[in-house]
Structure formats: C-alpha cells, structure tokens
Amino acid sequence: MTLRNRAVIVGVGESEIGKVPHMTGLGLNAQAARRAIADAGIKHTDIDGLLTAYSFTEPYFMLGSVLAEYLGIAPRYSASVIAGGASPTVMLNHAAQAVNTGQAEVVLVCAGENRATGMSRDEAVGALTAVGHPYFEAPYGVGIPSLYALVANAYMEKYGTTREQMASVCVSTRANALKHPNAHMKKPLSIDDVLNAKPISDPFNLFDCALISDAGGAFIVTTPERAADMSGTPVYLAGIGEAHTHEHLIAAPSLTDFGAEHSGQRAYSMAGLGPDDIDVAMLYDCFSIVPIIEMEELGLAPRGEGGAVFAAGDTQIGGRRPVNTHGGMLSHAHAGAVGGLMGVIEAVRQLRGDAGERQTPNATTALVHGEGGILSSHCTAVLTSEPR
C-alpha cells in the first residue's frame, strides 16, 4: 500500500537531555509526549494509538502497556517495536499504516531512557556485549564498538575512506549541535580532538562513538484530514521503505554493502522523488563511519565520496547538503531508540521552518534514515512540507 501524502506528523516534542538524574525513563517519555501533544494542539485523551520502542533501564516486558498506564491513556492500537535504532522510523511506518486502515486515528510514537544516570558502567558494558551472537560473538567479548569497527576497517580498505574524514563527521555534527539549545554536548570539537581522544576500538576513539544520554522524544501521526482539526503544522510522509538483511554481523551478506540502499530506493519510489530532491538529511550516526556509509547507499554522495563531503563542510548548517542539523547521536543525544527518533523531530522542525539558528533556508524535503543492530535493519522516510 502506498502511504504517499496519506499520513502526517502533526506534533513533536523532546525531553530534557544530558544527565537528568531526577527523571526515570518513563518520566522522560512522558515529558516528551506531553510536549508533542501540546505542539499538536490536542488533548491526551485524543490519542487512541501508542507505539514505543524498548528500554534497558525500564525492566518491563510490556513497555507499551506500562507507558499507556503511565500516561493515563487507553489506546485501541498499541505495540512495542524492537528494531534497534531503526525502531523510530519503523514505528512511523506502522503508525502511518494504522491511521490509514482505521486501526487508530491519532498515534503517539515515543521512546526514551535514562541511560546516563539509570545504568551503572558495568550494566552499560554488559548491554553492549549482549547484542553479539550468543555462540559465535558474545563469548569472545566482542561489543558493539568492535563490531562497527570491523565494518569501518573493511569500508576504509575498500573505498579509501580516511580516518580524518571520519573525524570530520564528528566535527560537523558537533558544530551543528552547538546551535541547538537542548543538545547534550556544548563544547566545540576539532579534528585533532577526535584523532587524539581515548581509543575505544580501532579505528574509533571516544568522539567517534555515540553519546550516552538521558533523553526522551515523541511525535504524533494522523491523517491529513484529521490534522485539519489540530493546530500543529503538519509535515507529510511522502515515502517510506524498510530493509532487513541480518541480525548478527557474522551473518551479514557483506561488510561493506548494507540495506540502506534498498530501504532508500523503496522510500524514493513511493515519494516519486530522488536523492537530488532532498534538502536536508538526518542519518543515523551511532559511530562516525555509519553516516558516511548511509550517505553513499542512499545516493546522497557517490560511493567512496561520502567522507569527502563531510570533510568539505558541506554537511554543516549552511552547507550544500546539511546532515544532522541537530547534532545527531554523536553530539545531540543518544539514549537507545530515541537517538534515531530525534532525527524525525529535527526533520519536522526543519520543514516547518522552526529550527532557529539551525534552519536550512527553503527546506521542503527531508530524509530520515534509521539503522538498527550492526547495520542490520534499515528504514528510510522521506518527509515534505506540502503534499507532493
């Protein structure tokens, strides 16, 4: 089924970000949800659908039901979606289908965790190693940084991406984050800072890796017809596509070619648009190599040239191809699935013209790409300010 112009995001909200010790994961979700509801100009009782992701800090088996209880709503459509960092865009896909099949009229999508203050160091390290294959990866102590580092080394070997180009991803997102009033990171960052930082897993140093934050985010999906009764400015879903190629890296078809190309093609096809039509992009950036890979697979740069685009400064605010204008997961916030959800929020703000210092002039199309696992699950969304 085509969803082109048949669903809109009509409200967005984010919680306090950084280290927020006075709030639980549920509290961060609720604060973001309350702000999204206010942005849409509706009451919480108007919500009849709820989608949420997963949480390492809230040990509930049925997180969606617990969150509904916490928010004081009784949805007729609800689920918890687990697709790693791709969960927010996958939830956007599910929400759009729900409002178009009559399963719900107004769907709240939210995610959030207090990972910075709600987990000990040992718990965080344990979570990083738990994603590995239980027989062939985890027993050898391989964590998420090492698995992505394996990909980075393979990609550098095949396409000539350099360590300095990867560092430029961190510098670009940090420069963008400095213009965001709610970003976790507040200090400028240089190439030398990245290259001389604490080693994590070769070739990654500290600043090549996503933050650990307390954060929550939310957005509200409905139909264009229903949005006419709301005060929030709607942003249209023009196209969306998914691709799921593997779970564990040992089963990946390739270490240099992933599913973003396929999810992107499906989203572009539905939208009737292509890479050259995109004004601003929000790319999942859990590690510095990842947005380079995604940029190339999504056609926003030729193969082997994504790193050069970042190094040239084209991805910074005011550049030729702005990417992660909020700062991404490397500098704005990362707390589980909400890291990718912040990209949806920023895309909506850009298309509404509400991004303040971060605003891309005359932005009418935005791409949001979510990625989960070790480049395992991909979901690409194309959003527009008006129906196309």
Side-chain angles (χ1 to χ4, degrees):
M1 111 184 243
T2 182
L3 295 170
R4 181 176 176 180
N5 300 327
R6 294 174 63 175
V8 295
I9 298 172
V10 74
V12 296
E14 61 186 69
S15 72
E16 297 176 48
I17 284 173
K19 291 188 176 180
V20 192
H22 60 281
M23 295 185 71
T24 64
L26 288 176
L28 292 164
N29 273 273
Q31 186 179 65
R34 184 170 66 249
R35 291 173 177 176
I37 290 167
D39 186 48
I42 60 175
K43 299 177 293 185
H44 77 285
T45 52
D46 293 322
I47 295 168
D48 61 353
L50 173 66
L51 292 172
T52 189
Y54 54 90
S55 174
F56 289 171
T57 62
E58 297 288 356
Y60 297 109
F61 178 65
M62 296 173 61
L63 183 60
S65 298
V66 171
L67 186 57
E69 184 178 79
Y70 193 88
L71 295 173
I73 61 176
R76 58 189 175 114
Y77 171 82
S78 180
S80 298
V81 175
I82 303 176
S87 299
T89 39
V90 170
M91 289 192 289
L92 172 58
N93 194 6
H94 288 198
Q97 294 184 50
V99 299
N100 273 283
T101 55
Q103 295 180 75
E105 291 188 358
V106 182
V107 179
L108 169 66
V109 178
C110 57
E113 294 184 73
N114 56 334
R115 283 199 182 182
T117 61
M119 298 179 72
S120 69
R121 181 181 177 84
D122 287 347
E123 288 171 334
V125 171
L128 290 176
T129 58
V131 301
H133 192 285
Y135 305 135
F136 305 119
E137 292 174 350
Y140 303 99
V142 178
I144 290 176
S146 297
L147 293 169
Y148 274 97
L150 182 63
V151 170
N153 281 304
Y155 209 82
M156 294 167 75
E157 174 69 22
K158 181 173 182 178
Y159 291 109
T161 302
T162 69
R163 186 67 190 86
E164 289 74 17
Q165 289 174 342
M166 290 163 56
S168 71
V169 173
C170 313
V171 172
S172 174
T173 53
R174 179 63 60 86
N176 293 348
L178 294 178
K179 297 180 183 295
H180 196 301
N182 197 32
H184 189 160
M185 302 306 292
K186 306 292 187 183
K187 296 180 180 179
L189 190 67
S190 70
I191 296 291
D192 285 343
D193 290 334
V194 180
L195 297 180
N196 296 324
K198 177 183 177 181
I200 300 299
S201 185
D202 184 58
F204 297 139
N205 291 345
L206 179 64
F207 297 120
D208 292 285
C209 308
L211 300 168
I212 298 176
S213 311
D214 297 333
F219 59 86
I220 291 171
V221 177
T222 189
T223 61
E225 294 79 14
R226 183 72 174 83
D229 298 326
M230 304 177 185
S231 60
T233 302
V235 164
Y236 289 77
L237 177 63
I240 195 162
E242 298 183 26
H244 307 272
T245 56
H246 61 281
E247 167 57 15
H248 301 103
L249 193 61
I250 60 164
S254 168
L255 290 179
T256 55
D257 295 280
F258 301 96
E261 179 179 359
H262 305 294
S263 65
Q265 288 173 347
R266 289 159 189 158
Y268 290 139
S269 177
M270 184 185 294
L273 299 170
D276 291 341
D277 298 308
I278 302 302
D279 295 320
V280 61
M282 307 301 154
L283 305 180
Y284 198 82
D285 61 341
C286 50
F287 295 91
S288 58
I289 189 63
V290 175
I292 293 175
I293 295 173
E294 292 167 341
M295 174 172 277
E296 295 175 12
E297 291 211 341
L298 292 165
L300 300 174
R303 282 286 190 173
E305 297 183 22
V309 173
F310 277 95
D314 291 346
T315 58
Q316 292 187 20
I317 294 166
R320 182 177 61 85
R321 174 87 63 176
V323 172
N324 291 350
T325 49
H326 59 314
M329 297 160 59
L330 292 170
S331 284
H332 175 258
H334 173 48
V338 75
L341 195 149
M342 294 299 187
V344 177
I345 292 173
E346 179 69 6
V348 169
R349 288 174 172 160
Q350 287 285 339
L351 296 179
R352 287 175 165 184
D354 292 342
E357 286 188 79
R358 309 185 311 283
Q359 185 61 50
T360 300
N362 305 312
T364 61
T365 59
L367 180 146
V368 184
H369 183 78
E371 176 264 306
I374 313 299
L375 289 155
S376 312
S377 293
H378 298 264
C379 185
T380 309
V382 176
L383 305 176
T384 58
S385 58
E386 300 287 344
R388 291 291 190 100

